[in-house]
Amino acid sequence: MKIPREHPRYLSLKERHKLVEGYRDGVTALAGLIAHGRGEAFDYLIGEKTIPPAVNAIKAGVAALLLADSPVISVNGNTAALCPTEIVELSKIVGAKIEINLFYRSQDRIKKIREILIKNGADEVYGVTPTKEISGISSERRWADKDGIYSSDVVLVPLEDGDRTEALVNSGKKVIAIDLNPLSRTSLTASITIVDNVTRAVPIMIKIAEEMRGWDNSELRRVLASFDNYKNLREVLLAIKTRLEEMDFPLQ
Ligand code: PTJ
């Protein structure tokens, strides 16, 4: 379906249609459509824009990726449908591997997501035939590639579930989450939570990574050390509260 550019909700509709098409193509899980709807509701609350606490988390996340020995970006069906080009670009700039990790795991979906990532420029995609399991996860998300997430020190997880975030953190990894819901278990458990739409956050991560990759490690460590995830999440909640309190009708 063609969405007219002048439609007031053009971007939002476009994202929905990417996911609907992703579902029809066997890339996105049916439940991924519901998960996106939950995300949209929180996006309304933050004003459908990247708010300052998200930028702070993005800087800390990019610093963590650049400082990592073996960073990995985890990709699921929603991310593959929404922003595959940007995920591949970010992986190249920060030197991260890409690994497919699915809650609703099937070889058919993995094959299709791998094809999308390769078509968008990925040289190698991990997680196709993973042999390791992350302990503490009962779902299919427990599977990890021995040369990817299993042996990584920093993992970027857009649209994650709380169980795996917790298990990855418990296994000693730094976890950077992108999640529109600041109250989700993932948001509360991750080392760094970027409360923003993945479609806005990843392009900003690319821009910031382009700038920060020229920095000394000591400067990157300073950015990372000054970041406090709970403090930052409180700032997100405060931003939402202030926005709602200051709203007047007609809404603008
Ligand atoms: O592709 P699969 O099989 O791995 O399945 C993916 C889903 C998303 C179905 C699976 O991971 C899942 O059930 O996720 P949850 O537990 O619903 O968590 C998804 C989180 O992502 C929720 O907290 C949403 O608010 C958030 N979210 C949804 N859309 C976006 C988002 N966060 C950032 N950007 C979005 N576009």
Side-chain angles (χ1 to χ4, degrees), residues 56-68 153-154 174-176 191-192 212 215-229:
N56 288 340
I58 285 175
K59 285 182 183 157
V62 169
L65 287 166
L66 289 169
L67 285 167
D153 53 347
V154 176
K174 205 176 269 303
V175 177
I176 307 157
S191 324
I192 297 168
M212 283 172 73
W215 293 13
D216 285 345
N217 279 359
S218 58
E219 283 178 89
L220 296 174
R221 273 192 220 104
R222 196 180 38 75
V223 172
L224 198 51
S226 65
F227 183 81
D228 175 333
N229 205 42

Side-chain angles (χ1 to χ4, degrees), residues 15 27-29 31-40 42 76-78 82 101-105 109 113 141 158-162 178-181 184 196-199:
E15 278 177 15
V27 168
T28 308
L33 307 184
I34 300 170
H36 185 76
R38 184 192 290 168
E40 279 183 333
F42 282 99
N76 68 5
N78 286 49
L82 286 171
N101 178 275
L102 302 180
F103 188 82
Y104 301 99
R105 189 181 172 83
R109 285 185 67 213
I113 293 171
R141 277 211 190 259
L159 280 87
E160 187 58 57
D161 64 76
I178 304 177
D179 192 331
L180 275 162
N181 177 0
S184 73
D196 201 8
N197 194 327
V198 67
T199 57

